[in-house]
Amino acid sequence: MKLTCIQMDMVLGAPDANFARAEALVRRAAEEGPDVIVLPETWNTGFFPKDLAPCADRDGERTKAVFSALARELNVNIVCGSVANRRAEGYFNTA
């Protein structure tokens, strides 16, 4: 099994920029033919913005949608590290 771990500079509190960067890095990593690609902790928001509310991923919906489709397209397993995740009961750092 070949595993690729991605390190990336996150933009604090900027999920759109972080999603675009993570997707580009996953695409680049997939060129090497790994079985699994792993993203870092809190890659979607950085370590931790003052106001998490506007940038946390609601129930991980965006993360699941974007990276499930990308995993199918690239025929690779993607572990999305952990994401700042908003649920009804609060905010979580969820893997």
Side-chain angles (χ1 to χ4, degrees):
M1 175 184 285
K2 185 174 179 183
L3 177 77
T4 299
C5 295
I6 292 177
Q7 292 183 319
M8 63 182 268
D9 290 327
M10 284 103 42
V11 180
L12 187 63
D16 291 339
N18 293 326
F19 267 85
R21 180 74 176 137
E23 181 176 347
L25 290 169
V26 165
R27 287 183 180 284
R28 191 167 111 200
E31 293 173 2
E32 300 297 320
D35 301 298
V36 180
I37 299 172
V38 181
L39 288 166
E41 183 178 17
T42 67
W43 61 267
N44 67 326
T45 60
F47 288 97
F48 286 103
K50 283 185 177 183
D51 189 7
L52 198 53
C55 56
D57 191 358
R58 191 182 61 146
D59 288 327
E61 292 174 3
R62 182 177 182 186
T63 301
K64 289 183 269 188
V66 169
F67 289 96
S68 291
L70 191 58
R72 278 189 300 276
E73 175 190 334
L74 300 173
N75 194 34
V76 67
N77 295 290
I78 301 172
V79 178
C80 288
S82 68
V83 295
N85 185 14
R86 177 181 49 196
R87 295 186 182 162
E89 59 275 8
Y91 295 92
F92 301 90
N93 181 12
T94 306

